[in-house]
Amino acid sequence: MNWLEALVKTHGIRSQNSADYLLKEGLPHRRLEPWRFTDLTALTNLEPLLLKESGPVVHGQSPLFAPDVVRLTLDQDGGNFVLAQGSAAAPAGLLLDLENPAASEDLDSAWVFQLQNSIVGPSFNLALGAAESLRLELCLNPTNSAAFVNAKMQISLAEGASLELFVNIKGSTNSLVLLTLQATLGQGSSLLEAQNLIGAEGAVLLSGSEVNQAATSSYERTAVVHGWALARQEPRVVQKEGEAHTFLRDLAIAAENNICDLHSAVRFDGPNGRLEQLQKALVDDAGRSIFNGAVQVPKLAQGTDASQLSRHLLLSDRARVDSKPELAIVADDVRCSHGATISSLATDELFYMQSRGISRQQAVSLLKLGFCQQIINFLPPIAASGCSLEAVLKP
Amino acid sequence: MIVSAATSEPLLEISNLRASVAGQEILCGINLTINQGEIHALMGRNGSGKSTLSKLIAGHPSYEITAGSIRFRGLDLAQMPPEERSRIGIFLGFQYPVEIPGVSNHEFLRVSTNARRVASGLEELDTFSFDDHLQERLELVQMDPAFLGRSLNEGFSGGEKKRNEILQMALLEPDLAILDETDSGLDIDALRIIADGVKQLAGPQNATLLITHYQRLLDAITPDYVHVMAHGRILRTAGPELALELERRGYDWIDQEAGINSRAEAIEEAEHELA
């Protein structure tokens, strides 16, 4: 029994079709272009037979606590989502199904979706009606080492609906976290998603999102990821009719032997869509950052205004960055810009701070924090309060 | 207030200083002594070595001292890192203050102020005490408090950056303030505010070295000494009347008296060699 088969069979099959397809295809490998730079050793180092579903024990309030936030966590067996202790009650009439969401078997989805659809795990289905609004937090903090979390979110927003979604994950040692989001945004709706994804030694995060936007909708994603042996994120957005607005902001911190891998894809299937993307990564020790940012602007997407900026701060001779903007533009009446920079700490910035009595060590720390702050600043206040990087960035 | 004991030894003593950057000699034997209570002006053409000298005193790592020494209160600065120089009372107001996105101006000011205070044997200021202290100092440079909430110098105009430099000087209360072309890029009102701030901070316990091209700053702050630099050396030192003479006559006559070709002659010579 190979690694993948052991994982699927140990934890139960969610969809036989997906499992058959997955096992036939096997693990991704470096001959596949989207996986060319991704070393899966951290994943295969996890022992599938030892990974256990885990329900979190939540002590005290969430750092994101706010009285109006509906807070979901896992039950004691880790098999289902439940309302967390201290959570606001779900509003009357809210369509929030925590037990039997529709299965998805799209075999064209990213590998993480195929993997997730193959294995039993908790999921929820949320539908907001026209002009409804909700603040929702997902809190997944497995308590045991070698925990297995396989969480799936399906969200549908009707016209004018508004959802703030805070995803707060703290992986345990040698844990495997699969996290996916499928969202459909109706006209004029808005989804604000803030992810704070904190790893642990040997832990692996595989996450993917598929967001389909109708005209005049807004999708704003800000994600902070650090501390994972391997974190691969694959956000995909399709503006089905154009005329929508997408913000993607990602911050990764890869130290020690961490690998942070972000593969984003945005496609405009209509005119006058807007994208603002900022990806930043701070890479230290033998850490590694991979960024692949695809933006597709076909002929029908005239009037698109898309910007993509990737910035890497390289702090060690052993650290490595692979950055690959991938803009495919066929429409001719568009404004698309991209930039990618890889730099180390600037001597003049360090000198300026030192000349004010700040030690070199503290100056380095402030500059690193400053680099990250540009993304943190975009987190909503209650999410930012749960995202303290000082300890992570201490020299 | 941070007060250092007055001594009879010079505050700054530079002796036969030679320095290079990337193997090229920039300073070729500088001698300069500054005592407490004095205001010095350093003038000279672009490229004469003024900014290099200021950065060397502050400890910029790109410049290498190849001979001579810089002493501050008798301490040899050669091996001292920039932060130590700041903590013992040396301040450099930058000609081009760097922008550092993401680092809050307020936090930067608080951390640097406390670093200087601790080195001076004073207690760190907590957030509230610091804010009170900061408020007083803001008034000195008539700076909008909104700039405190922004990233350090990011998006500041040239004048705002210079005000922020003087604000830092006011908070750090240095014994020696070196202001590198603090007057460049300022409108008349901003220049007056900056000059007033510098004058208020100057006193018998400290000293100021103004690096400038223009008499207009020296109209507001009268120096005790004016030095003229060229080709990495100080060619002439005199009283404030020297600045007025430079304003009238330019720099060529200084070169000629020092036996150095004037710029016009140097160009003529170069053209002749090319021909």
Side-chain angles (χ1 to χ4, degrees):
Chain A
M1 196 160 49
N2 64 29
W3 187 92
L4 204 52
E5 205 175 348
L7 183 74
V8 172
K9 291 187 174 166
T10 304
H11 298 278
I13 292 173
R14 191 198 300 253
S15 154
Q16 191 63 52
N17 278 350
S18 292
D20 290 345
Y21 184 79
L22 180 82
L23 295 176
K24 185 178 154 215
E25 292 290 308
L27 278 170
H29 49 78
R30 292 192 175 194
R31 290 188 303 280
L32 298 169
E33 181 62 23
W35 294 85
R36 187 156 66 100
F37 296 116
T38 312
D39 183 350
L40 290 178
T41 304
L43 179 67
T44 53
N45 277 348
L46 298 175
E47 176 48 67
L49 301 175
L50 298 182
L51 289 170
K52 297 282 182 207
E53 283 78 0
S54 167
V57 177
V58 181
H59 297 287
Q61 290 179 341
S62 158
L64 312 185
F65 180 79
D68 63 331
V69 173
V70 174
R71 187 176 180 213
L72 298 181
T73 187
L74 296 177
D75 62 13
Q76 287 301 317
D77 300 328
N80 286 302
F81 282 109
V82 290
L83 280 182
Q85 202 176 6
S87 164
L94 180 72
L95 287 174
L96 176 60
D97 187 344
L98 302 180
E99 292 177 357
N100 298 301
S104 163
E105 290 189 354
D106 184 357
L107 301 182
D108 291 330
S109 293
W111 185 76
V112 63
F113 283 92
Q114 295 171 24
L115 179 62
Q116 185 178 65
N117 288 332
S118 302
I119 306 171
V120 168
S123 51
F124 72 79
N125 196 349
L126 169 70
L128 288 188
E132 283 185 338
S133 66
L134 183 70
R135 303 176 88 198
L136 181 70
E137 180 196 347
L138 188 68
C139 184
L140 305 174
N141 299 340
T143 49
N144 57 295
S145 63
F148 178 51
V149 175
N150 180 16
K152 180 174 180 174
M153 302 179 279
Q154 290 179 295
I155 291 168
S156 162
L157 303 183
E159 189 173 343
S162 162
L163 175 66
E164 288 181 46
L165 176 65
F166 311 113
V167 178
N168 187 22
I169 296 181
K170 195 167 183 182
S172 59
T173 310
N174 296 324
S175 57
L176 172 58
V177 177
L178 306 182
L179 175 74
T180 65
L181 164 70
Q182 286 176 305
T184 306
L185 276 58
Q187 280 203 358
S189 66
S190 89
L191 172 58
L192 189 154
E193 184 189 10
Q195 295 190 351
N196 189 17
L197 311 169
I198 305 170
E201 189 180 347
V204 174
L205 168 74
L206 300 173
S207 85
S209 59
E210 291 179 342
V211 177
N212 290 315
Q213 292 186 248
T216 68
S217 65
S218 167
Y219 173 51
E220 186 166 349
R221 167 197 147 98
T222 305
V224 177
V225 58
H226 60 88
W228 301 87
L230 168 64
R232 176 157 170 128
Q233 298 173 279
E234 297 186 48
R236 293 182 177 185
V237 181
V238 180
Q239 292 194 9
K240 289 285 191 188
E241 302 153 350
E243 309 278 358
H245 207 151
T246 307
F247 302 86
L248 299 179
R249 304 179 189 109
D250 288 89
L251 170 66
I253 300 171
E256 299 175 355
N257 289 304
N258 296 169
I259 301 173
C260 292
D261 182 0
L262 177 71
H263 274 65
S264 68
V266 180
R267 181 180 171 86
F268 297 89
D269 279 348
N272 304 318
R274 287 185 64 190
L275 165 68
E276 293 175 47
Q277 181 172 18
L278 174 61
Q279 178 267 342
K280 299 186 88 171
L282 190 150
V283 197
D284 205 349
D285 305 323
R288 186 159 179 202
S289 169
I290 301 149
F291 171 62
N292 192 110
V295 178
Q296 295 180 317
V297 187
K299 189 145 189 132
L300 50 75
Q302 301 293 348
T304 295
D305 183 352
S307 72
Q308 180 190 78
L309 179 61
S310 164
R311 291 195 59 200
H312 281 91
L313 194 56
L314 200 57
L315 298 171
S316 149
D317 292 342
R318 294 179 299 143
R320 180 173 165 168
V321 169
D322 295 286
S323 183
K324 187 181 168 198
E326 205 175 84
L327 278 71
I329 304 165
V330 180
D332 48 16
D333 180 18
V334 297
R335 194 163 66 179
C336 292
S337 63
H338 76 92
T341 65
I342 301 172
S343 61
S344 53
L345 290 171
T347 304
D348 281 343
E349 292 181 2
L350 280 170
F351 173 61
Y352 187 77
M353 298 189 123
Q354 288 179 272
S355 77
R356 299 301 184 251
I358 298 171
S359 69
R360 183 181 169 83
Q361 203 176 36
Q362 198 173 8
V364 167
S365 194
L366 279 170
L367 288 174
K368 282 155 63 174
L369 263 176
F371 179 83
C372 299
Q373 203 63 44
Q374 284 184 302
I375 298 287
I376 306 286
N377 285 344
F378 285 110
L379 287 172
I382 69 163
S385 68
C387 186
S388 172
L389 296 178
E390 277 86 351
V392 182
L393 298 176
K394 264 190 180 164
Chain B
M1 179 181 282
I2 297 169
V3 177
S4 303
T7 63
S8 56
E9 71 183 340
L11 192 61
L12 182 76
E13 190 170 26
I14 298 175
S15 306
N16 191 31
L17 182 69
R18 303 179 85 91
S20 64
V21 59
Q24 187 180 350
E25 188 164 63
I26 306 287
L27 299 184
C28 317
I30 296 280
N31 290 291
L32 176 66
T33 300
I34 298 178
N35 296 300
Q36 277 185 329
E38 293 178 350
I39 296 177
H40 290 239
L42 186 60
M43 305 181 80
R45 291 195 185 98
N46 291 331
S48 59
K50 306 184 299 296
S51 291
T52 299
L53 178 60
S54 69
K55 287 180 180 169
L56 262 171
I57 298 170
H60 196 291
S62 300
Y63 299 92
E64 185 192 358
I65 295 177
T66 52
S69 66
I70 309 174
R71 291 185 172 275
F72 183 76
R73 295 192 185 285
L75 291 169
D76 188 350
L77 298 184
Q79 301 302 320
M80 193 181 284
E83 59 268 36
E84 284 301 320
R85 300 183 196 207
S86 168
R87 290 171 192 169
I88 63 172
I90 296 172
F91 175 86
L92 171 61
F94 283 64
Q95 183 180 2
Y96 303 110
V98 295
E99 297 189 9
I100 308 187
V103 174
S104 140
N105 195 25
H106 181 276
E107 179 67 1
F108 172 73
L109 295 172
R110 194 184 63 80
V111 171
S112 51
T113 300
N114 278 333
R116 168 85 167 122
R117 285 180 65 86
V118 168
S120 304
L122 300 173
E123 278 189 9
E124 283 192 24
L125 294 173
D126 61 35
T127 308
F128 299 109
S129 307
F130 174 70
D131 284 347
D132 292 342
H133 183 52
L134 182 57
Q135 190 56 44
E136 287 173 26
R137 299 304 179 170
L138 275 173
E139 287 164 15
L140 187 77
V141 289
Q142 297 178 33
M143 191 165 149
D144 184 348
F147 286 101
L148 299 173
R150 288 163 60 168
S151 291
L152 179 55
N153 292 324
E154 190 184 33
F156 288 26
S157 69
E160 287 154 355
K161 284 180 182 170
K162 296 297 173 72
R163 280 189 209 209
N164 207 32
E165 293 292 289
I166 302 302
L167 175 63
Q168 291 167 41
M169 176 181 158
L171 288 165
L172 296 177
E173 300 180 48
D175 298 331
L176 173 65
I178 304 163
L179 303 178
D180 188 5
E181 298 197 26
T182 297
D183 52 341
S184 64
L186 295 183
D187 61 37
I188 295 166
D189 289 336
L191 179 69
R192 181 181 48 75
I193 292 164
I194 296 283
D196 285 349
V198 172
K199 271 197 295 190
Q200 285 184 55
L201 294 168
Q205 299 288 341
N206 56 36
T208 308
L209 175 60
L210 300 168
I211 297 173
T212 184
H213 283 292
Y214 305 109
Q215 175 59 35
R216 60 180 194 166
L217 179 66
L218 304 182
D219 287 339
I221 307 169
T222 308
D224 299 295
Y225 300 96
V226 174
H227 311 275
V228 180
M229 264 189 91
H231 308 286
R233 281 182 289 165
I234 291 178
L235 295 186
R236 179 172 285 242
T237 295
E241 69 282 356
L242 176 56
L244 294 167
E245 194 168 2
L246 290 171
E247 186 85 350
R248 271 201 325 275
R249 298 175 62 188
Y251 289 107
D252 282 352
W253 64 278
I254 302 256
D255 288 347
Q256 283 163 3
E257 286 190 8
I260 296 169
N261 282 354
S262 70
R263 175 181 286 187
E265 285 168 342
I267 292 169
E268 199 176 308
E269 203 170 277
E271 284 174 345
H272 181 72
E273 278 177 22
L274 274 175

